Structures are given as C-alpha cells and as structure tokens.
Amino acid sequence: MNKPWAVVKHVPFEGPALVGTLLAERGIRYTEYPMYRASELPAVHDIGGLVVMGGPMGALDDVTHPQLPRERNFIKEIVDAGLPMLGICLGAQLLAASFGSAIRRGPTPENGAGTVTVSVDGTRDPVFGSAGAEVPVVHWHGDTFDLPDGAIGLASSHLYENQAFAIGRRAYGLQFHVELTRAQLPVMQAHMPPDTAPSGAHMADVEAAGRIIIGSFLDLAES
C-alpha cells in the first residue's frame, strides 16, 4: 500500500489546494499537519512524500514560532532520504534554510498576479521543462533566499532572482504559488494586501500552469 503524504500547514486558511486535488486524482492519500496547533510531525519512514505550505512568518523566526527548527530538520531528513518534497512560498524558504541558505527581506514585497521566467536549466528540468518560458503565477511574499549549495535555479522574476529551485533528485522549492485556483480567490481577497488579489481570468491561467508543474512533480515523485 502506498504511504500517505504529509502536508505541513502554517495558517488555517492555506491548504494544499491544487496539490491536494492532484494527489487525490492519483489515489494518493495525505494527512495535514497544522503546525499552528503545535502538531507533531510524522516519522520519515511513515510517509511517501512531503508538501510544506506557506505562511506569514519568516523561515528563521524561531523565537515566535518555535516549531520551525523541527520543521527544517524534518525537511532535511526527508530530502536526505530521497523522498519527494515540494515547498511552496515559506515552504521553499524553509527548504533553502534547511540546507544552510541565508534568508533575508527582498527588495520590495511582491504580491498579486505575475509571471516567472524559466531558466535555461529549468527548460531541461523534468518538472519545469513543459511549463513554457513564462509561467503565470501568484506572488505573495516579501522574503528571499540564496540557493543552497548544489541546488539548481529554475525560475526568476524581475524583482526576485530565486523563484524556484531543485535540490537532490526530487525536492523542489517554489517561492510563488501555482497551487492556487479560482476556488481560493475569496481567501486571497481576504488575506492579501488590499487590491493585490488576482483576477479570475489570471487564476485560470495559474491553474493550467499548476496542473503542468505539480503534475510533473508528482510524475517524478512516482518514478
């Protein structure tokens, strides 16, 4: 029997969205771990993969969020074990930090509808190679990070050089959001800075891109 995946959450309103939909379409079970409730993390050998979602805190805000060191250690154990791991927004920053990268404030907050440009390495990547040169995304972040040693940069934006990266064979960090769909528009409208939530038309494009990128990641995870 396939082992269930773990989905780590940092705020109640941000769930796996399209990731959860695509896992379910493949018959892959998953369990959500709400870290804002001091949830315990599973044993590495009990899960088939890991998804780490976003949140408003910084990846190194250990004083105000004392669960973060456990999360970073857990992420590194998952990647070192060769299990598939997808970090989204804060999850990408935690992945970078778990491998020793610096986390810092970006030049300016990046919020709302936008795109990322796929790198040359990204065009050859099994997850990003079919996404196209410019990918429609939702930006919702103010921090950035250095790439970990040995990581491959996959995408950038005008303001943020490191928007996506891979480390190891099956671990990916996405600073942006492609897991969001039209169904999450009310959440974005309620929680994003005023007048930055994307349009429904843009979200249709984001979901189409997300199905390619997340679907390709799950193909790799199952290979």
Side-chain angles (χ1 to χ4, degrees):
M1 181 180 295
N2 291 333
K3 295 178 180 179
W5 282 44
V7 176
V8 171
K9 294 176 53 175
H10 299 101
V11 286
F13 58 81
E14 190 167 357
L18 184 58
V19 180
T21 299
L22 295 180
L23 284 170
E25 287 179 2
R26 292 168 184 250
I28 301 172
R29 296 171 294 130
Y30 65 89
T31 301
E32 296 184 4
Y33 293 85
M35 301 310 293
Y36 49 88
R37 294 178 183 164
S39 177
E40 291 297 320
L41 292 166
V44 171
H45 57 76
D46 286 338
I47 64 172
L50 173 65
V51 179
V52 181
M53 303 303 302
M57 65 287 293
L60 300 177
D61 286 352
D62 297 355
V63 173
T64 52
H65 300 277
Q67 84 283 358
L68 290 174
R70 285 194 297 127
E71 289 191 46
R72 294 194 300 270
N73 291 336
F74 183 64
I75 289 168
K76 191 169 190 306
E77 289 177 7
I78 290 290
V79 178
D80 287 347
L83 291 173
M85 185 268 166
L86 179 64
I88 299 171
C89 199
L90 173 63
Q93 297 160 15
L94 287 167
L95 174 60
S98 72
F99 282 86
S101 289
I103 310 294
R104 60 185 180 277
R105 296 299 293 175
T108 187
E110 194 174 35
N111 293 299
T115 63
V116 296
T117 302
V118 176
S119 70
V120 173
D121 285 328
T123 64
R124 298 189 287 257
D125 181 77
V127 171
F128 275 79
S130 300
E134 294 285 328
V135 180
V137 304
V138 175
H139 295 299
W140 194 356
H141 62 93
D143 286 353
T144 188
F145 50 85
D146 295 330
L147 290 183
D149 289 343
I152 299 171
L154 302 173
S156 63
S157 69
H158 175 67
L159 290 172
Y160 286 73
E161 179 182 3
N162 297 321
Q163 285 279 2
F165 68 96
I167 185 167
R169 194 175 78 84
R170 298 196 292 179
Y172 284 77
L174 312 181
Q175 174 80 307
F176 51 84
H177 297 268
V178 287
E179 87 288 359
L180 298 173
T181 72
R182 282 175 180 261
Q184 282 78 51
L185 268 176
V187 169
M188 289 181 270
Q189 291 162 349
H191 294 281
M192 292 183 77
D195 302 319
T196 63
S199 67
H202 184 75
M203 291 314 302
D205 293 337
V206 171
E207 180 174 353
R211 283 189 170 272
I212 293 170
I213 292 172
I214 298 167
S216 296
F217 168 74
L218 294 177
D219 289 341
L220 181 64
E222 293 184 304
S223 65

